[in-house]
Amino acid sequence: MSALSNVLDNKRMQIIRNEFTHLGDKCYLENAGTALYPQIQLKKINEDLLNNVYLNPHSDKYTRDCIEQIRNRVLKHFNTNSSAYTLIFTSGTTQSLKLVVESFKFQSEDVNGSFMYLRDNHTSVLGLREIAKEKNAHVIHITHNDFLNSLQSIQSKPRNYERDSKKGNILLAYPAQTNFNGFKYPLNYIRDIKNGCLGSYLKKQLCEVDCNWYILLDAAAFVASNKLDLSVTQPDFVCLSFYKIFGFPTGLGALLVKNDSADVLSEKKYFGGGTVDIVLSSEDFHVKRSSLHERFEDGTLPFLSIIALKHCFDTMALLIPKLVNNNIMDTISFHTFHLAKDLYEQLIDLKHLNGNRAAVLYMDSDFTNIKKQGAIVAFNLLRENGSYIGYAEFQHMADLFNISVRTGCFCNSGSCQRHLNVTNKEMKSMHKAGHKCGDEMDLVNNKPTGAIRVSFGYYNTFNDVDRLIAMITRCFVKRQYHQRKRFTVSFYEKQIDTNETDFIKEIYSVNESYVTNNIDPTTDSTESNIKLTELAIFPVKSCGAFKIKTGWMIGTKGFEYDREWMIVKDNGVCLTQKQNSRMCMIQPIIDLNKKCLTLTFKGMPSISIPLDPPNTKLQEMSLCQSKVCTDVVRGYDCGDLVADWISNALEISYLRLIRQCSDDKRIQKKNSEKMLSLSNQAQFLLINKATVRWLKDKIKDPTFTDDIDTLVDRFRGNIIIDTNKELIERDWLKIIIGKNEFKVEGQCNRCQMVCINQNTGQKTVEPLRTIAEEFGGKLRFGIYLSYIGPINGMKDRSLKINLPIKPLLS
């Protein structure tokens, strides 16, 4: 298929990209997680809601009529109508799946039915087996290869299947497209499945074979960028979420039920408002409604979200031309498929200078057939020596470059386990070692626990592919830059302009080399004359440091006034340098004599707030809640003047400065006896200047020009020491500073914040990349401390510069 002219391509793409200016500089490559909503879509929805009044559909006929119009619009989108399918609105794919199995009649007379699922299903499907077991159904899982081989071995022509009410029922659940790597499972064998083509596999499981077969299709990942034609493909039940297609609204999905299969959903127990014709409160008597969707839509529907769907469909029709098969979704599928194919081919070609491959791809197709592959690429990266780069390390670098991807197992443990070649025993061992779904434990025994997923939407271009590859090359792979030539197959490809080309060349041109060492630091127990060289506190979380010249008091949560304040956005979420690197340039000054905190920012007058506001003032301040590292913290608002000052400094509207309440009892996770301020993990963070010097020597990037002090500042430590040997602090269990004892709570896990120069706010790749290289992908630097107390009955709870430090190894 030939591409259209570049003039039309650029014009079309520009129209689309203009609808996503709220992305700013972010490169969004996580369409499988959620689609993005165009601005005009929200504008049309808001205009509708402002100009019309929609009421509870149980009492308002007009709203009810609008919902029915949209119900038909959704069916039309899937090329069907109410005579063939009934659409039931749900909260999303998960509820749709759950609703089917909860209502499904597995047994008939004395014959037990079965619940059969593909191992490579989403977790939401795997969870259905618990419901099926409670209903005494046999639970069978089938592998990816067994499933495909069973279908491809079919030789007889499909015949018309007939269901027998005396037989048991088998429910087979599988995805139209896996969310792990975009592989599309066959939809043209549904009739064969209903005719029992999987019976031989079922027989091996010693289950009843002569049953009625029903298909439960998880279409959530598929419908995001593909056409589902229910006039051709006719599963019994289809589950989907609308945010996967339109980005908005969330919390709304659908269950599409084939009308001639509806009778098997006869075991629905619960009934809510609007689902019954009559119900008695004093007697166990009710009659459910005869209409299927009325019977299953418990309570009041999210009618405003449903009404928003009209504008979602209208916006998609406005933005996307019908250039492929005269269909919008086919056009999106064609466009996104070729973006993913381009990334796939570039990753295959990606090699280190020594010739070793730089990427491992976890795919089930080679992008030669759009009917078998969607717009998703799953992979991991390798170092020059062949060891794996952990997905958490990759995620931090992607965040640094403002690129959104997904890492982990994507709620698909079956696909993840198969592609990573991990046994059940190994999975359990990883869990025993502390790995949990969604955490950052990306490598266990040098083996990956997850992968990197990139997925594309209609708003992406080849420039996004190149930006990702440029980041990968800049951070992980040394190779010469070359302009990649590609045949433009997309219907709206935007050509790389001069500035973007220069940007990519600049990224590739850095002369980098990697030195991978097996770090085996030795501890020198005779290390003596260690002194406390620097002290610092960070009064406002994620802002600049206040460096202490002489000494400072230790409070119940750490150093006094350390991280007692935080900046929150108008939605109550704490703001950090990850979202706005300018925060580091807000410099705090604590004046104990004047009892005030003064904030300064270049080019602005300073502002001060009291350290101890009077009780009358406290009573006037509004209490609020926010979260720090999943902990709910209580605080009070510091007023409009300082809020306006911070908003102007950071160029973000409606920011507020919140101070943690003195009686807020946030505890340290690893030591429940210790109280925390707004710090992330522990009361104190110790940095060894000798280890920082060692790290600086390992950094080979010629563009990284930090001196030692600037590099030390990146790690935002409270307690800075300097030893004769590097890395020895990693073996300490306790330390005594002067007359005060501290417990080592482990090493500090690092993120992309260490890549922000604390003097300028500029972002760099180092030192995070070298930390990962030197420590085998473990992003740890510095040690956490908690305060034990004064020794020998002393009462002095202060630390002073030049105090002696005694490390304890036991």
Side-chain angles (χ1 to χ4, degrees), residues 457-732:
Y458 66 86
Y459 32 74
N460 291 118
T461 71
F462 285 119
N463 290 348
D464 296 322
V465 179
D466 290 338
R467 183 170 167 183
L468 176 67
I469 291 293
M471 183 276 287
I472 291 173
T473 304
R474 173 70 175 88
C475 299
F476 304 109
V477 184
K478 179 186 174 185
R479 75 171 188 182
Q480 295 296 320
Y481 169 78
H482 64 278
Q483 179 73 43
R484 178 178 171 83
K485 295 181 180 180
R486 58 167 70 85
F487 172 66
T488 304
V489 294
S490 169
F491 69 90
Y492 42 47
E493 171 57 359
K494 177 177 179 288
Q495 302 300 313
I496 298 178
D497 61 29
T498 303
N499 292 334
E500 288 170 322
T501 303
D502 292 342
F503 167 74
I504 293 172
K505 284 183 178 179
E506 179 183 351
I507 288 179
Y508 279 115
S509 63
V510 178
N511 180 20
E512 305 166 66
S513 62
Y514 296 88
V515 180
T516 304
N517 297 323
N518 292 321
I519 303 301
D520 184 20
T522 58
T523 301
D524 186 357
S525 59
T526 63
E527 179 91 19
S528 59
N529 298 320
I530 306 176
K531 300 288 185 180
L532 176 59
T533 59
E534 296 178 35
L535 287 173
I537 63 171
F538 301 85
V540 183
K541 182 178 176 64
S542 222
C543 289
F546 175 57
K547 296 191 176 181
I548 297 161
K549 296 180 180 179
T550 54
W552 205 256
M553 291 297 297
I554 299 171
T556 57
K557 301 177 182 180
F559 281 130
E560 287 190 350
Y561 305 115
D562 183 38
R563 294 177 176 88
E564 284 197 13
W565 292 263
M566 64 178 171
I567 298 171
V568 300
K569 300 173 72 174
D570 56 351
N571 57 8
V573 175
C574 179
L575 187 69
T576 71
Q577 287 185 35
K578 295 178 184 179
Q579 294 87 42
N580 190 312
S581 62
R582 292 165 61 92
M583 292 181 71
C584 67
M585 295 186 287
I586 294 180
Q587 295 296 318
I589 301 171
I590 297 280
D591 190 324
L592 295 178
N593 294 322
K594 295 181 178 180
K595 295 185 177 181
C596 68
L597 165 66
T598 301
L599 302 179
T600 66
F601 191 89
K602 186 177 180 180
M604 292 180 60
S606 62
I607 189 169
S608 298
I609 57 174
L611 292 179
D612 302 308
N615 290 333
T616 55
K617 187 69 175 177
L618 278 173
Q619 292 173 1
E620 297 173 3
M621 294 178 174
S622 58
L623 288 174
C624 52
Q625 287 186 343
S626 186
K627 276 193 173 185
V628 174
C629 293
T630 72
D631 295 331
V632 176
V633 295
R634 293 175 61 253
Y636 59 83
D637 193 297
C638 295
D640 293 338
L641 289 178
V642 69
D644 291 342
W645 186 93
I646 290 171
S647 297
N648 291 332
L650 300 181
E651 299 178 348
I652 299 176
S653 301
Y654 310 118
L655 297 177
R656 308 298 298 184
L657 183 66
I658 305 298
R659 186 177 186 180
Q660 184 185 25
C661 291
S662 58
D663 60 351
D664 183 62
K665 301 187 183 303
R666 181 172 175 244
I667 60 172
Q668 190 171 308
K669 289 181 173 59
K670 291 186 177 181
N671 189 341
S672 59
E673 296 179 356
K674 300 298 178 182
M675 304 295 293
L676 282 183
S677 61
L678 302 178
S679 57
N680 284 355
Q681 299 293 337
Q683 294 178 333
F684 306 90
L685 176 61
L686 180 147
I687 299 296
N688 185 356
K689 213 166 186 176
T691 303
V692 176
R693 279 193 294 270
W694 167 85
L695 178 66
K696 180 172 171 55
D697 290 340
K698 297 293 183 180
I699 297 174
K700 304 304 178 183
D701 187 341
T703 66
F704 188 77
T705 58
D706 279 16
D707 58 26
I708 286 296
D709 290 334
T710 304
L711 185 54
V712 169
D713 288 345
R714 286 178 181 253
F715 295 103
R716 298 174 62 82
N718 300 112
I719 298 170
I720 313 300
I721 65 172
D722 200 350
T723 62
N724 293 330
K725 292 183 179 180
E726 71 276 1
L727 300 168
I728 61 172
E729 70 277 8
R730 296 161 68 93
D731 293 326
W732 297 346

Side-chain angles (χ1 to χ4, degrees), residues 259-302:
N259 289 337
D260 60 13
S261 303
D263 58 343
V264 79
L265 300 182
S266 60
E267 296 188 355
K268 181 177 184 290
K269 301 298 183 184
Y270 176 80
F271 59 90
T275 63
V276 293
D277 288 331
I278 181 175
V279 58
L280 300 180
S281 62
S282 59
E283 184 179 333
D284 187 8
F285 178 83
H286 72 277
V287 177
K288 293 186 175 69
R289 293 194 183 275
S290 57
S291 170
L292 185 65
H293 71 79
E294 290 181 338
R295 198 159 67 243
F296 276 78
E297 292 171 346
D298 293 300
T300 301
L301 287 171

Side-chain angles (χ1 to χ4, degrees), residues 237-252:
F237 315 107
V238 181
C239 304
L240 58 96
S241 296
F242 288 107
Y243 76 93
K244 298 281 188 178
I245 308 172
F246 304 116
F248 181 90
T250 57
L252 181 65

